[in-house]
Amino acid sequence: MTGRSQIVRGSILTMDPRLPRAQAMAIRGGRIAAVGSLAIAREAAGPGAREIGFERGAVVPGLMDTHNHMFWTGMQQTLVDLRECKSIAAVIDEIRTYAARHADAAWIVSGTGWHVTNLEENRHPNRRELDRACPDRPVYLPRGGHAAAVNSLALRLAGITRDTKDPEGGRIERDASGEPNGVLREPPAFELVGRLAPAASRAEQTDALRQVQKRYHAAGLTGIMDPGISPEVVGIYQDLRAAGELTVRSVVMPLADSSRPLEEVLAGIASSPARTGFGDARLKLGGVKLYLDGAATFATALMREPYPDERCNCGIQVTPTEAFRRIVRRCAERGWSMGVHVVGGKAIDIALDVFAEVDRDIPIRDLRFCLIHAYLWPSKDNIARAAKLGVVVATQPSMQYTFGPELVKRFGTVLMGQATPVRGWLDGGVKVGGGSDSPITPYPPLLGLWQARTRHVAGAAEPVGREQAITGEEALALYTRDAAYLSFSEHERGMLKEGLLGDWTALSMDPVACDAEALRDAEVLATCVEGELVHGG
């Protein structure tokens, strides 16, 4: 994607501290040749350059998402889509409709981006309800990487009965008589069924990933980090890269499983010399992804104190501490980074304790170990230790926006005002990257830019935790300069600076100078990757 030279003129927000704003920039051979005045840009671009001007808004570095399941977002369109369902009856109808249209499908499987809180019953459908929807084929409805609802046939095929014990790190929900009710909490439980469900064909998966990129570019995205994927999905990314069709720069993170040796996981995706950062600007390996706890909305995030509405429940530790310690040490020895899913305070404590322990023998600063989510009340000590160790944080403002109302009901406005403490992390010297966790919450980065500045949550009249709001420049850094750092790509992108890749996004308003509330109405005018327009223009 290195066509003819390009001149971009308008209000250029470079995110380069040495030259924060410019009038124009030139791109040659896919890289930025000059940034400054229009005359300088024209001279650097040379004759025959295409000139693109924006009379309003601003041009910013290409926006990035540091926690985005792009593959599964694409696959959402090929599976049962429950995102618009408002009741269990609607779920049943959607499954019946899908089953009728896909008579040859051996299993009925949903996408992961639907929410129990959207249903008027505010719970998962149970196995008997799913039996009514589809009695003759197994039904598997995963939700957000932390739970799944299944029908009786799926339970039977997985060998899950009233005598089946909860697997370590997971929970099999049961009815009043002790029978499994079809709801499985956390991967060790729901993967008992999930591993049996047949995958879509390689061609279907490849096409889903190919097509979703168009929507990402329309939202202003030029790069993502896709966490927790299998060797097979890494292969699909590689196929698109080889075909020249991977237009969203992708950093892929293999999923570690405490039940399998780490070497086995890594051997499935790369040759032995490979480690974090292996690859090129279009596709590279990120850190190893691992689940340490669950989710707050399912009351499985690992908390320091019991949930207020469940006196004896402090959540679930998905990966035992000793297994986690073993994986962290092996990653550090091999030169692999780690992205650790931690939501609750107790999980954050455990992760940082183990990181500090390993750091005493093998310094981890350059590996940029990452706390993913880390939003339920990291302590001042947590923040100080993360800064000392060089640990980074992947935060998702759109997650706070989406789940805020439910969590306010559970924990109260005061406590939730202290959640997702972006201001606290930044003031403590911790590098933070912005993201979405799509398809769990919406992927457009403009939503994240707006929420990080305003602290609004869905349906609430007033912001929640205004003291944790950040400035326009800090918010933009989450999705540009600092996102590039989390992506091991700060030498390639994240700023509009001579020598870096020609990735940029044009917005209808200046995201730094505009009123924070007005940012909600901002639009993406154009998106460019390596000097080639991939949206608008």
Side-chain angles (χ1 to χ4, degrees):
M1 297 181 67
T2 53
R4 66 172 175 159
S5 299
Q6 180 188 84
I7 298 166
V8 183
R9 53 180 170 79
S11 179
I12 312 290
L13 303 185
T14 69
M15 297 307 290
D16 180 357
R18 293 177 296 180
L19 182 66
R21 290 180 178 267
Q23 184 184 40
M25 67 177 170
I27 298 174
R28 294 186 68 175
R31 291 189 177 268
I32 299 171
V35 182
S37 69
L38 183 56
I40 289 173
R42 283 173 172 165
E43 181 179 0
R50 178 185 181 185
E51 192 164 315
I52 306 170
F54 296 95
E55 304 304 322
R56 63 187 178 113
V59 176
V60 303
L63 300 175
M64 290 171 262
D65 187 318
T66 61
H67 191 77
N68 186 304
H69 305 277
M70 184 166 73
F71 173 76
W72 286 111
T73 303
M75 288 299 296
Q76 186 94 14
Q77 306 301 310
T78 70
L79 305 170
V80 181
D81 191 348
L82 305 176
R83 287 176 296 174
E84 300 303 318
C85 292
K86 302 301 182 185
S87 66
I88 290 175
V91 170
I92 292 172
D93 287 344
E94 194 66 39
I95 292 171
R96 285 173 174 165
T97 300
Y98 182 92
R101 290 176 178 170
H102 298 81
D104 295 334
W107 283 61
I108 305 300
V109 180
S110 77
T112 63
W114 59 284
H115 300 296
V116 171
T117 53
N118 287 349
L119 307 181
E120 63 183 38
E121 295 88 352
N122 198 31
R123 64 170 175 83
H124 287 85
N126 60 45
R127 64 182 176 91
R128 292 183 176 83
E129 289 163 334
L130 296 181
D131 290 345
R132 294 205 306 270
C134 187
D136 59 339
R137 283 177 279 177
V139 175
Y140 176 61
L141 310 179
R143 182 4 228 133
H146 294 283
V150 304
N151 68 353
S152 297
L153 180 54
L155 288 172
R156 188 160 63 251
L157 290 172
I160 299 174
T161 70
R162 66 181 298 123
D163 298 322
T164 304
K165 295 181 179 179
D166 287 348
E168 186 172 33
R171 184 183 300 158
I172 299 169
E173 288 199 358
R174 304 168 195 274
D175 60 24
S177 69
E179 292 288 342
N181 70 2
V183 179
L184 308 171
R185 305 278 187 181
E186 298 306 325
F190 66 71
E191 277 300 316
L192 297 173
V193 173
R195 66 171 62 107
L196 303 177
S201 71
R202 182 77 169 226
E204 289 171 327
Q205 294 180 69
T206 302
D207 189 59
L209 185 59
R210 180 188 297 113
Q211 295 302 324
V212 75
Q213 295 178 95
K214 300 174 185 176
R215 305 204 305 274
Y216 277 39
H217 290 319
L221 286 167
T222 60
I224 57 96
M225 298 180 72
D226 193 337
I229 59 178
S230 67
E232 292 75 21
V233 175
V234 174
I236 291 168
Y237 273 97
Q238 291 174 323
D239 289 348
L240 280 188
R241 174 69 183 92
E245 296 179 314
L246 189 62
T247 57
V248 174
R249 300 191 191 281
S250 302
V251 178
V252 294
M253 300 174 64
L255 180 64
D257 179 348
S258 62
S259 68
R260 297 170 60 200
L262 181 63
E263 299 298 331
E264 181 182 315
V265 174
L266 301 183
I269 60 166
S271 57
S272 57
R275 57 176 59 92
T276 299
F278 179 80
D280 58 24
R282 196 63 60 144
L283 177 63
K284 68 176 59 176
L285 289 171
V288 172
K289 163 75 180 292
L290 180 140
Y291 286 93
L292 192 54
D293 71 342
T297 51
F298 296 142
T300 55
L302 191 62
M303 310 293 280
R304 300 183 183 103
E305 301 290 339
Y307 284 81
D309 49 353
E310 300 186 36
R311 294 181 183 176
C312 297
N313 176 34
C314 290
I316 292 177
Q317 183 169 345
V318 175
T319 301
T321 301
E322 187 51 45
F324 177 58
R325 180 180 291 111
R326 186 172 60 252
I327 293 171
V328 172
R329 183 169 292 276
R330 193 68 185 112
C331 281
E333 291 171 346
R334 284 281 310 263
W336 282 84
S337 184
M338 287 195 71
V340 183
H341 171 109
V342 287
V343 173
K346 183 63 176 177
I348 299 171
D349 294 343
I350 293 170
L352 289 169
D353 283 347
V354 173
F355 289 170
E357 177 186 319
V358 172
D359 182 70
R360 287 194 287 270
D361 299 324
I362 310 167
I364 66 171
R365 174 170 290 277
D366 291 342
L367 295 177
R368 307 178 195 182
F369 280 16
C370 181
L371 301 177
I372 298 172
H373 310 310
Y375 67 85
L376 286 186
W377 314 302
S379 66
K380 290 182 179 180
D381 179 65
N382 291 154
I383 293 173
R385 294 181 82 189
K388 181 180 179 181
L389 293 166
V391 170
V392 299
V393 171
T395 193
Q396 300 80 39
S398 60
M399 180 175 287
Q400 192 200 34
Y401 175 78
T402 303
F403 295 144
E406 179 183 0
L407 296 179
V408 165
K409 290 179 183 177
R410 170 166 276 169
F411 298 111
T413 302
V414 174
L415 277 179
M416 284 312 299
Q418 300 164 12
T420 316
V422 183
R423 172 86 277 144
W425 288 116
L426 294 179
D427 288 349
V430 176
K431 195 79 75 176
V432 180
S436 65
D437 206 7
S438 178
I440 309 308
T441 62
Y443 58 79
L446 285 175
L447 172 62
L449 287 169
W450 169 75
Q451 201 282 334
R453 291 184 64 186
T454 65
R455 297 285 294 190
H456 280 300
V457 300
E462 295 296 325
V464 176
R466 199 188 298 269
E467 66 277 7
Q468 288 295 333
I470 59 177
T471 69
E473 184 172 356
E474 288 169 333
L476 184 57
L478 295 184
Y479 293 89
T480 57
R481 188 176 59 220
D482 294 342
Y485 183 84
L486 266 69
S487 303
F488 291 83
S489 302
E490 71 275 13
H491 61 292
E492 300 168 320
R493 50 199 172 110
M495 294 186 287
L496 299 177
K497 177 182 176 182
E498 183 177 344
L500 299 192
L501 292 163
D503 297 359
W504 54 264
T505 302
L507 305 176
S508 63
M509 60 181 67
D510 184 323
V512 171
C514 74
D515 178 77
E517 295 292 347
L519 190 57
R520 183 68 193 274
D521 298 321
E523 299 175 353
V524 175
L525 304 177
T527 307
C528 183
V529 176
E530 215 162 300
E532 294 287 337
L533 285 170
V534 289
H535 170 74

